[in-house]
Amino acid sequence: MKTNLSSTAPSQLETDCLIVVALDRAEKNGNGNSKPAPAIESSDTAVRDAAKDVIASGEASAKPFETTLLHRPAGLKAKRLLLLGGGKAAKFSATELRKLAGAAVRTLKGKSIRSFAFVLPESGVTAADGVRALVEGATIGDFDPGYYKSERKEKDKEQKIDSVTFLVSGDTKSLESALETARIVAESQNFTRDLVNEPSNRMTPTILAERAKKMAAEVGLGCEVYGADQIKALKMGAFWGVAQGSDEPPALIVLRYDPPGAADKVHLGLVGKGVTFDTGGISIKPADGMEKMKYDMAGAATMIGAMRAIALLKPKVKVTAVVCATENMPSGKAQKPGDVQIAMSGKSIEIINTDAEGRLILADGLSYARQLGCTHLVDAATLTGAVVVALGYVNAGIFASDDEMYERFAKALNRAGEKMWRLPLDEEYKELLKSNIADMTNAGARYGGAIFAAMFLKEFAEDTPWIHLDIAGTAWMEEQKPWIAKGPSGIALRSLVEFVKGYGA
Ligand code: BES
Ligand code: MN
Ligand code: ZN
């Protein structure tokens, strides 16, 4: 899908379909009720005239994602005019616009339209933020997870958006860089989703490492992959404890971005959970829903995708990603409840539940990132079912040991249009980690499971400022939405890239 900018007047553009946003500008009356007052977001009077009748009829009311399609609109060079509802004007922002662009792609793909033009709304967003939201939204909306459907090849030929033109007023030159940045970020997000979408037989730790290596070579990142021998030599007893039960070899993947002119005070470390399949191990999971545990490497895929974007956007800050990839399997070689493992940091861990494996591999990932000299750490992991209980599928959980770092991340979230909710790390929770035989247990708290897992990780981040993202509930869309397919979401990548850029500006 090609994306480009044009400052042609919307009514003068020849296209298969011209899309304009309709916003509801109704003001509340005394009862708090109001009739919708849809208004077309374009200063082109010919476009507004073409939409006049259908709006007057009440058929188009500007409800979010409502689509009203007019063929051969009078006075326009476009073959079709699509009115896309954007909801209340007062609430409209780049976040809504991003979703509308995704919805446009998904709607028009189904109608076998090949190219279309989208008029940048004039209210609620600046031109640069608007272009960025449109390009990101359209690219994310274009992702289709049906990789192994036999009719896929035919469908790809028939239902394919070749190009999208974004219509802006005034100079397009100054907006080209917003378009380019957005394209890089959104394509990296789709790269992450591609890795997450693959089932575990086609995305083993070895394959994940190969994909990371190939990407690194393409964009100019350093990349090393270590196997079982080096994992043992590094004394990563927590990581190896999980990996030992599987016939598939584990992989420790390191991606390095070290640009000239980077400030030497900051070295960001991105640590990802890459469990390519989580059976639970000896503490095996129930069969119902276990197939979903192929996405237990989403944290890893997010960090790999973020590194791709970082390499292409070139912020002036040193960044290293550490990805711990393994399966979690039951077998004659698997670790068992009650086993004690010694982590790389030297701390001993009593394994109460082999299904609490993510925190084990991340423990050593965090220690390793510290050993490599990282001054600030962020990890991403599909870590706990408990975060889904707490926050559902809407917000990811975010934990931070450092308020300044959290504030930076919160700003990045806002710019990226992603949702996360901060959860606590009070000292009182530390009580829960106690073991009779070792420095700590890996599981056991009945309540507050997401916090317990975060408190466990904190023991390994030690005094390095650290953020933990628990994306168990948000890395996979359980339902399709107008703007995005069911399947891998690519959550956290955009915020991570924005956060890293903040250190390199
Ligand atoms: N990978 C799971 C967490 C998960 C749950 C991810 C749902 C995505 C969706 C993790 O390894 C796990 O099994 N966690 C256990 C921990 C428990 C045994 C302490 C959980 O949350 O049940
Ligand atoms: Mn598990
Ligand atoms: Zn897991």
Side-chain angles (χ1 to χ4, degrees):
M1 190 178 73
K2 286 207 187 90
T3 46
N4 58 283
L5 297 174
S6 164
S7 54
T8 307
S11 56
Q12 299 308 305
L13 189 83
E14 286 179 27
T15 174
D16 289 341
C17 187
L18 182 73
I19 302 184
V20 280
V21 173
L23 294 181
D24 183 1
R25 297 201 171 278
E27 275 161 36
K28 283 197 174 123
N29 63 21
N31 309 324
N33 302 320
S34 59
K35 262 179 101 183
I40 296 296
E41 277 293 305
S42 172
S43 52
D44 190 326
T45 44
V47 174
R48 292 213 301 271
D49 283 347
K52 219 194 239 132
D53 289 351
V54 75
I55 285 182
S57 76
E59 276 169 57
S61 66
K63 276 201 285 289
F65 306 110
E66 174 192 74
T67 55
T68 311
L69 187 62
L70 304 174
H71 283 249
R72 303 187 55 176
L76 306 189
K77 290 198 172 152
K79 289 189 187 131
R80 305 173 185 80
L81 176 64
L82 180 75
L83 308 184
L84 190 52
K88 299 255 186 288
K91 286 197 183 145
F92 192 73
S93 72
T95 300
E96 281 69 40
L97 184 58
R98 188 182 284 106
K99 290 180 179 172
L100 288 183
V105 167
R106 286 168 56 74
T107 306
L108 296 186
K109 245 185 160 177
K111 299 187 192 300
S112 298
I113 287 174
R114 287 305 175 97
S115 66
F116 69 89
F118 198 118
V119 182
L120 178 71
E122 282 161 18
S123 46
V125 282
T126 65
D129 286 351
V131 165
R132 180 177 155 176
L134 285 171
V135 174
E136 287 178 356
T139 308
I140 291 158
D142 198 34
F143 182 89
D144 177 355
Y147 287 11
Y148 298 105
K149 290 179 188 283
S150 300
E151 77 269 15
R152 172 75 186 240
K153 282 215 177 84
E154 283 309 303
K155 192 177 157 196
D156 275 356
K157 261 186 246 150
E158 287 157 20
Q159 302 194 356
K160 182 168 177 284
I161 304 288
D162 292 325
S163 78
V164 188
T165 302
F166 299 107
L167 294 181
V168 297
S169 48
D171 180 29
T172 60
K173 263 240 175 69
S174 63
L175 298 173
E176 288 294 346
S177 83
L179 177 125
E180 181 61 10
T181 302
R183 201 179 52 75
I184 288 169
V185 171
E187 285 177 3
S188 299
Q189 185 172 342
N190 283 353
F191 172 72
T192 290
R193 295 164 82 194
D194 174 34
L195 299 176
V196 177
N197 195 42
E198 293 290 355
S200 75
N201 62 328
R202 295 168 182 276
M203 187 49 67
T204 61
T206 306
I207 297 172
L208 184 63
E210 276 163 9
R211 294 288 296 268
K213 254 193 188 157
K214 181 162 172 274
M215 178 280 288
E218 283 164 9
V219 302
L221 288 169
C223 179
E224 288 96 41
V225 176
Y226 304 108
D229 290 345
Q230 289 104 316
I231 290 167
K232 284 187 263 186
L234 285 164
K235 296 197 157 53
M236 294 180 151
F239 183 6
W240 176 247
V242 177
Q244 72 183 40
S246 176
D247 287 345
E248 279 295 337
L252 172 64
I253 306 164
V254 180
L255 291 165
R256 284 179 294 101
Y257 170 71
D258 192 1
D264 46 64
K265 268 193 281 177
V266 180
H267 177 182
L268 303 174
L270 308 181
V271 181
K273 170 178 174 182
V275 174
T276 59
F277 197 80
D278 182 11
T279 65
I282 296 297
S283 314
I284 198 160
K285 288 181 182 293
D288 195 27
M290 201 204 274
E291 73 284 352
K292 281 178 52 193
M293 284 302 113
K294 67 170 187 169
Y295 86 84
D296 213 18
M297 37 62 76
T302 303
M303 295 319 193
I304 297 170
M307 289 304 281
R308 178 187 184 273
I310 290 161
L312 294 169
L313 295 173
K314 303 192 187 352
K316 281 194 166 39
V317 60
K318 187 172 175 179
V319 192
T320 301
V322 173
V323 164
C324 300
T326 180
E327 291 184 334
N328 185 25
M329 296 289 282
S331 79
K333 295 182 295 173
Q335 68 177 346
K336 300 173 289 297
D339 286 1
V340 172
Q341 308 291 10
I342 313 294
M344 186 186 181
S345 75
K347 286 185 175 149
S348 58
I349 305 163
E350 181 186 9
I351 309 300
I352 298 295
N353 190 318
T354 65
D355 197 11
E357 86 296 343
R359 64 201 71 180
L360 296 171
I361 70 172
L362 287 174
D364 285 341
L366 290 166
S367 296
Y368 190 54
R370 293 183 76 233
Q371 195 191 78
L372 294 177
C374 294
T375 59
H376 297 70
L377 299 168
V378 186
D379 76 70
T382 47
L383 202 64
T384 66
V387 85
V388 195
V389 174
L391 300 174
Y393 299 125
V394 176
N395 279 280
I398 176 167
F399 298 82
S401 68
D402 182 273
D403 288 338
E404 200 235 84
M405 211 175 153
Y406 173 76
E407 292 306 331
R408 281 172 172 267
F409 205 92
K411 279 205 195 91
L413 279 168
N414 197 349
R415 298 251 318 134
E418 294 185 320
K419 283 182 168 236
M420 300 193 188
W421 195 261
R422 191 175 184 181
L423 293 168
L425 287 168
D426 301 280
E427 277 300 303
E428 287 93 324
Y429 291 109
K430 221 178 137 176
E431 194 71 20
L432 301 170
L433 299 175
K434 278 199 177 132
S435 160
N436 261 335
I437 186 172
D439 294 335
M440 66 192 94
T441 69
N442 79 326
R446 186 191 283 269
Y447 300 117
I451 303 171
F452 176 91
M455 290 302 290
F456 181 94
L457 294 180
K458 189 163 175 273
E459 292 298 306
F460 299 90
E462 302 189 45
D463 55 1
T464 306
W466 155 80
I467 283 178
H468 159 56
L469 309 176
D470 193 338
I471 57 172
T474 45
W476 194 266
M477 304 295 299
E478 295 293 326
E479 301 289 343
Q480 62 166 341
K481 302 277 184 191
W483 64 92
I484 192 170
K486 178 175 172 173
S489 67
I491 176 75
L493 182 139
R494 292 202 308 273
S495 302
L496 278 162
V497 173
E498 195 62 32
F499 173 76
V500 169
K501 274 167 60 188
Y503 282 92

